[in-house]
Amino acid sequence: AQKITQTQPGMFVQEKEAVTLDCTYDTSDQSYGLFWYKQPSSGEMIFLIYQGSYDEQNATEGRYSLNFQKARKSANLVISASQLGDSAMYFCAMREGSLTGTASKLTFGTGTRLQVML
Amino acid sequence: DTEVTQTPKHLVMGMTNKKSLKCEQHMGHRAMYWYKQKAKKPPELMFVYSYEKLSINESVPSRFSPECPNSSLLNLHLHALQPEDSALYLCASSQLDRPNTEAFFGQGTRLTVV
């Protein structure tokens, strides 16, 4: 079963506008983490934002915010005031069931390619 | 400093060659990872090291051999690869003292097997 689902293969947004990238997840664990990464054409995976399953407030990092709706199992990324440099592939990811002393898997969705237009 | 350094950036190797990919981090992270990413696909986990011990092997073929000589270094030894192994290989690291923590990635090695 797909753990992380990103239903938007591609998105377009006008420069300076806001855009929402969708992500839903599936887990039976109570403790898990949700992440968004940006991957430009250069290939590097850039960490953007993190939301813990027990965090009551939505995470924010500068122009990035994560709209966390736990009951709906969704963790959408909102980018405000889009810039040309935001054009990239965006991956939603989840880590679950982390035990002390052992790293757990970080599982990625299929990604959304965002294109920012003038 | 949230830097993970991978070398080389690009590698072309023949199917009979032996080569190694290297990854280094100085953030004090005790978990390190190798991911493989084919074009237009998400990264797929290959190996995880926790406290320098292999903790997860995602049924990777033996022609890929990971090694973690110390807490800062991670190698991936390659031998007798196939053209379908051509991909972007990403290294990552994360803390182990906090559950479900974020991982930081290097810029990757673009591998071409000819």
Side-chain angles (χ1 to χ4, degrees), chain B residues 4-23:
Chain B
V4 177
T5 303
Q6 290 187 243
T7 55
K9 288 187 172 52
H10 299 272
L11 178 63
V12 179
M13 62 185 289
M15 289 189 282
T16 58
N17 290 160
K18 285 185 182 180
K19 297 285 185 184
S20 296
L21 309 185
K22 296 185 184 302
C23 175

Side-chain angles (χ1 to χ4, degrees), chain A residues 31-33 35 37 39 41-45 47 50 91 95-98 101-110, chain B residues 31 33 35 37 41-43 45 48 50-51 55-56 58 88 90 94 96 99-107 110:
Chain A
S31 176
Y32 52 90
F35 311 86
Y37 286 85
Q39 188 175 40
S41 56
S42 59
E44 184 179 4
M45 294 288 282
F47 166 69
Y50 160 77
F91 290 100
R95 191 197 288 279
E96 58 187 332
S98 180
T102 305
S104 60
K105 300 178 189 181
L106 183 64
T107 305
F108 289 84
T110 51
Chain B
Y33 312 74
Y35 279 83
Q37 187 178 23
K41 297 288 187 184
L45 182 66
V48 181
S50 305
Y51 294 113
S55 54
I56 298 177
E58 290 287 272
L88 179 67
L90 291 162
S94 68
L96 266 179
N100 299 323
T101 185
E102 64 270 21
F104 294 95
F105 285 79
Q107 73 273 49
R110 290 195 185 275

